[in-house]
Amino acid sequence: QVQLVESGGGLVQPGGSLRLSCAASGSIFSIYTMAWYRQAPGKQRELVAAITRGGSTNYADPVKGRFTISRDNAKNTVYLQMNSLKPEDTAVYYCKAGSWGQGTQVTVSS
């Protein structure tokens, strides 16, 4: 019903920044909450941040103060601004809004 395409991942040094984008198409009217998850090798997929249509946000404790989630309802797009990146942030980041995106790799390394 909902198709999601993520972009913006890549390789960055510790302390650097990246901005992820997720564009949704399909049954957009049904989307209330959009969220970012991440999954590192050998670990469970975990919630990073979520945002409602009205702009209410929720963050996982490890990213509080460093990451910011936002959305543009007119563009059906959610963003994740990631600052002060740490090696432990390395993971595949997935967008979720009714369905799962394919993921985008974020690697934080010197």
Side-chain angles (χ1 to χ4, degrees):
Q1 292 292 105
V2 179
Q3 293 77 47
L4 304 170
V5 179
E6 301 107 326
S7 62
L11 175 64
V12 65
Q13 294 184 17
S17 298
L18 286 172
R19 188 175 77 154
L20 306 183
S21 298
C22 173
S25 62
S27 301
I28 308 303
F29 70 92
S30 66
I31 298 176
Y32 179 70
T33 300
M34 302 184 78
W36 288 97
Y37 289 73
R38 67 186 182 187
Q39 187 168 22
K43 295 186 177 181
Q44 296 281 79
R45 190 172 298 186
E46 64 178 359
L47 177 68
V48 176
I51 186 168
T52 68
R53 182 176 286 116
S56 297
T57 58
N58 184 47
Y59 296 92
D61 194 60
V63 309
K64 287 180 180 177
R66 300 188 298 119
F67 291 10
T68 302
I69 189 170
S70 62
R71 67 189 289 171
D72 185 332
N73 291 326
K75 295 181 178 179
N76 301 313
T77 300
V78 63
Y79 306 93
L80 185 67
Q81 178 67 45
M82 305 184 294
N83 298 326
S84 302
L85 283 161
K86 303 175 180 180
E88 51 262 46
D89 295 318
T90 296
V92 177
Y93 284 70
Y94 297 90
C95 181
K96 188 179 189 298
S99 61
W100 292 99
Q102 291 299 111
T104 184
Q105 177 71 48
V106 172
T107 302
V108 185
S109 177
S110 299

